[in-house]
Amino acid sequence: MAKAMARHILVKTEAEAAALKKRIAAGEAFDVLARKYSTCPSGKRGGDLGEVRPGQMVRVIDQVIFKKPLREVHGPVKSQFGYHLVQVFYRD
């Protein structure tokens, strides 16, 4: 079965996610911003979701993790929880 290693930042608004994405693009550390701003419990781990398999995450996040290019920051991606920025390190 496929698996991937990813991290994300979850915030309430699309504007907040877009602003964080710009800060990451400008060189700020993803994990530091995740610890400070993410509303997901994974924020305490710098947004680290660990190793995930298809179906473990909500569908829209699953699609990013298993279909989008590696090592890029994707998003804002809307789910029922809010807006996500997602970065995938590897997938098997």
Side-chain angles (χ1 to χ4, degrees):
M1 180 178 246
K3 60 185 174 185
M5 162 71 181
R7 62 184 177 177
H8 82 142
I9 298 173
L10 173 64
V11 292
K12 290 186 188 302
T13 69
E14 186 173 12
E16 195 176 359
L20 289 171
K21 187 173 183 177
K22 282 184 185 174
R23 290 174 66 177
I24 293 165
E28 289 191 58
F30 190 105
D31 60 330
V32 172
L33 293 174
R35 281 187 192 93
K36 189 168 183 179
Y37 296 104
S38 186
T39 61
C40 179
S42 69
K44 292 183 178 83
R45 299 185 306 275
D48 186 0
L49 296 170
E51 206 168 77
V52 297
R53 297 186 182 279
Q56 280 186 286
M57 307 301 291
V58 294
R59 190 164 185 249
V60 291
I61 301 306
D62 237 26
Q63 289 177 338
V64 172
I65 291 173
F66 291 99
K67 292 191 163 88
K68 297 284 186 178
L70 298 174
R71 303 199 195 305
E72 292 178 19
V73 177
H74 301 285
V77 178
K78 186 179 188 325
S79 78
Q80 68 262 42
F81 301 107
Y83 291 86
H84 307 254
L85 296 179
V86 182
Q87 186 176 41
V88 183
F89 291 105
Y90 73 81
R91 72 175 74 92
D92 292 336

